Amino acid sequence: MACKTMSITEFVKYYEQRTIEICDTEAIEDYESRGDPKIFIEDCGTLKHDARVYTWIIYTRFQHEFL
């Protein structure tokens, strides 16, 4: 948590820790999204492409808006 009393060294350490946490979360989501895409519309090129490119969470949000 950055604040006025935090030194530059403490800020850099905090920033690096948060960056590692975010990267770890993204890596986990990418790994979990490697399953077969579940497509509700047959032969929809856009959804097939998005299922391969995006994480499962982002894909389901997009699919909800798309449908």
Side-chain angles (χ1 to χ4, degrees), residues 19-65:
T19 303
I20 290 170
E21 290 172 11
I22 291 169
C23 289
D24 288 345
T25 301
E26 185 175 350
I28 290 168
E29 289 178 0
D30 284 343
Y31 177 77
E32 291 173 350
S33 70
R34 297 291 182 222
D36 293 332
K38 296 173 179 48
I39 307 237
F40 297 114
I41 298 176
E42 194 172 313
D43 295 328
C44 180
T46 302
L47 289 179
K48 286 181 182 178
H49 168 73
D50 294 341
R52 287 190 308 269
V53 175
Y54 298 118
T55 63
W56 180 247
I57 292 171
I58 299 298
Y59 170 75
T60 54
R61 289 179 186 168
F62 175 80
Q63 183 186 38
H64 176 73
E65 291 294 321

